[in-house]
Amino acid sequence: EAGVTQFPSHSVIEKGQTVTLRCDPISGHDNLYWYRRVMGKEIKFLLHFVKESKQDESGMPNNRFLAERTGGTYSTLKVQPAELEDSGVYFCASSQAGVRGEQFFGPGTRLTVL
Amino acid sequence: QQQVKQSPQSLIVQKGGISIINCAYENTAFDYFPWYQQFPGKGPALLIAIRPDVSEKKEGRFTISFNKSAKQFSLHIMDSQPGDSATYFCAAQMDSSYKLIFGSGTRLLVRP
């Protein structure tokens, strides 16, 4: 069974540019999450999808971040325009419907904003 | 304000020794406490988890000790091996939510 995949693995952009991160969850997982780890700090929750609906977006830092999950499959996280403080590792995770326990994480996208 | 506080930030242990990582929380609504292990270039992976109705859970060389009254929980790695060298995150989840709230991580190095 394929795990959670994320693309790209690394992205380096200039301040003010736009970047789109993609996540493909484990097939059949209705729950999809985005998290972010800024250098050396805790992994912070950004938002949670159940299928195509946003269930909890309490962790989204501001309106420069836009997450979508088309058709309840893959998800994208767009940052527009990017700021220096957006640098970090963005993780996507997924879990089965109705399961509050284990979340399966992807390898992350390392975003560097210069 | 960090809801889950983790210590130490880094830890060096000799092969065969015991590694201990501690976490503390404030919110009594937390009802699920997992530990995740992350190797370089990989995402965090669930290692072991506990719910507050038990004080200890053991899986192989890994044990979670849970102290509900003190609002603390810890990970013990017995007979630590070089292959255990990784970053470890404690986390907590509230009974009304799916999101995980993580500690800041502990980088463990096990020397041969």
Side-chain angles (χ1 to χ4, degrees):
Chain A
E1 178 184 85
V4 176
T5 58
Q6 293 186 245
F7 183 82
S9 56
H10 293 84
S11 181
V12 180
I13 61 173
E14 300 275 337
K15 174 183 171 181
Q17 289 185 321
T18 297
V19 63
T20 300
L21 314 181
R22 173 170 170 143
C23 168
D24 286 82
I26 291 172
S27 178
H29 280 191
D30 286 347
N31 292 302
L32 187 149
Y33 314 84
W34 284 98
Y35 292 86
R36 175 174 73 174
R37 189 183 192 207
V38 173
M39 175 86 82
K41 297 197 172 181
E42 71 270 28
I43 300 172
K44 277 194 171 180
F45 169 84
L46 296 178
L47 89 160
H48 168 212
F49 283 101
V50 177
K51 296 185 180 179
E52 66 277 4
S53 299
K54 292 176 186 174
Q55 185 75 15
D56 180 356
E57 48 185 330
S58 61
M60 293 289 265
N62 52 60
N63 59 10
R64 294 185 295 102
F65 288 74
L66 175 63
E68 295 180 321
R69 190 179 184 194
T70 308
T73 54
Y74 71 92
S75 175
T76 57
L77 180 65
K78 180 191 286 189
V79 185
Q80 179 182 30
E83 298 289 344
L84 299 179
E85 64 265 25
D86 300 333
S87 296
V89 181
Y90 289 77
F91 292 106
C92 175
S94 70
S95 69
Q96 293 178 334
V99 174
R100 285 185 51 247
E102 181 172 12
Q103 295 178 13
F104 296 84
F105 281 76
T109 293
R110 181 174 296 277
L111 174 64
T112 301
V113 182
L114 301 176
Chain B
Q1 182 189 1
Q2 202 170 338
Q3 294 193 55
V4 179
K5 294 185 178 179
Q6 183 171 348
S7 62
Q9 192 173 20
S10 62
L11 181 62
I12 300 175
V13 174
Q14 288 297 124
K15 178 182 175 181
I18 303 173
S19 303
I20 301 174
I21 304 171
N22 300 297
C23 284
Y25 65 97
E26 287 298 324
N27 194 332
T28 55
F30 290 144
D31 72 343
Y32 175 70
F33 301 88
W35 284 90
Y36 277 78
Q37 179 188 55
Q38 184 187 17
F39 293 106
K42 306 288 187 182
L46 180 67
L47 183 63
I48 186 172
I50 198 168
R51 294 195 184 271
D53 52 345
V54 297
S55 60
E56 185 175 281
K57 183 173 182 182
K58 185 176 181 179
E59 290 183 3
R61 296 183 295 108
F62 301 91
T63 299
I64 298 179
S65 296
F66 186 82
N67 186 329
K68 190 173 181 178
S69 60
K71 289 187 268 185
Q72 295 175 346
F73 58 111
S74 59
L75 176 69
H76 295 235
I77 306 174
M78 310 300 287
D79 187 26
S80 299
Q81 299 297 311
D84 297 331
S85 298
T87 300
Y88 292 80
F89 294 95
C90 62
Q93 187 180 58
M94 274 189 272
D95 55 4
S96 58
S97 173
Y98 280 68
K99 68 182 176 185
L100 292 171
I101 298 168
F102 284 88
S104 53
T106 297
R107 292 186 69 173
L108 171 66
L109 175 64
V110 181
R111 294 197 187 279

